[in-house]
């Protein structure tokens, strides 16, 4: 059974965490919610709680087939945890799929080599991605190598289709 990591922190955008979580379980994948702490309840932007299953310090990229980074304001908190950044860096080194939506590509800017890569995101972090060397495009889903990016919850269907196709 393939294993998918979804990063979690406070202020996540609920649809961007919940839709991938349940859609990938429906597809038959084992899905872990990875936060800075294990078994901690993290609260979304609109108050919905989800509990992490693993701490980022305890997971290894070699054990996962992909990682998903939801948006909202949680990526700003995620970037403060070195173990989370190191996990994503290792996923990138192994060329495993890294999928980020909305503000999620902020983690890519901190953990991945974006030089010349085509990415998209919520428009407000466009400059951060460009400054990290990425080529920014405004499309519902962008796949460049192992990186998959989308802009907003409106893009979730295309985002998940791309993830599932990449992980097959």
């Amino acid at each position: 059974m393939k294993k998918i990591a979804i990063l979690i922190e406070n202020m996540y955008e609920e649809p961007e965490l919940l839709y991938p979580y349940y859609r990938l379980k429906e597809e038959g994948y084992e899905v872990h919610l990875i936060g800075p702490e294990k078994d901690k309840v993290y609260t979304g932007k609109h108050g919905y709680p989800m509990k992490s299953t693993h701490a980022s310090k305890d997971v290894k990229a070699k054990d996962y087939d992909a990682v998903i980074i939801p948006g909202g304001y949680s990526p700003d908190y995620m970037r403060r945890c070195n173990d989370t950044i190191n996990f994503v860096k290792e996923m990138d080194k192994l060329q495993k799929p890294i999928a980020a939506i909305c503000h999620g590509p902020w983690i890519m800017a901190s953990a991945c080599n974006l030089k010349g890569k085509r990415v998209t995101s919520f428009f407000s972090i466009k400059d951060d991605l460009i400054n990290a060397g990425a080529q920014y495009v405004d499309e519902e889903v962008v796949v460049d190598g192992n990186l998959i990016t989308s802009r907003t919850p409106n893009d979730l269907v295309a985002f998940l289709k791309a993830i599932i196709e990449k992980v097959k």
Side-chain angles (χ1 to χ4, degrees), residues 10-72:
N10 286 316
M11 299 296 287
Y12 62 86
E13 181 66 51
E14 280 91 340
E16 295 171 359
L17 184 139
L18 295 171
Y19 181 69
Y21 179 77
Y22 289 111
R23 179 65 187 92
L24 293 167
K25 282 178 158 283
E26 178 184 51
E27 199 67 26
Y29 299 127
E30 183 177 342
V31 182
H32 296 169
L33 294 177
I34 299 173
E37 298 177 48
K38 180 182 180 177
D39 293 326
K40 179 178 176 181
V41 174
Y42 294 93
T43 306
K45 280 174 44 179
H46 306 287
Y48 194 85
M50 289 290 283
K51 185 191 283 190
S52 61
T53 57
H54 296 75
S56 52
K57 68 181 172 126
D58 298 327
V59 295
K60 304 288 182 227
K62 67 178 178 61
D63 297 328
Y64 289 88
D65 295 288
V67 61
I68 298 171
I69 309 165

Side-chain angles (χ1 to χ4, degrees), residues 137-158:
V137 294
D138 184 12
E139 296 174 10
E140 80 177 338
V141 65
V142 176
V143 179
D144 191 336
N146 65 313
L147 306 180
I148 303 165
T149 52
S150 283
R151 303 168 300 191
T152 71
N154 292 334
D155 300 332
L156 277 166
V157 172

Side-chain angles (χ1 to χ4, degrees), residues 4-7 64-69 87-88 91 96-100:
I4 309 293
I6 299 178
L7 300 185
Y64 289 88
D65 295 288
V67 61
I68 298 171
I69 309 165
F87 174 70
V88 177
M91 291 290 288
K96 293 194 176 189
I98 301 170

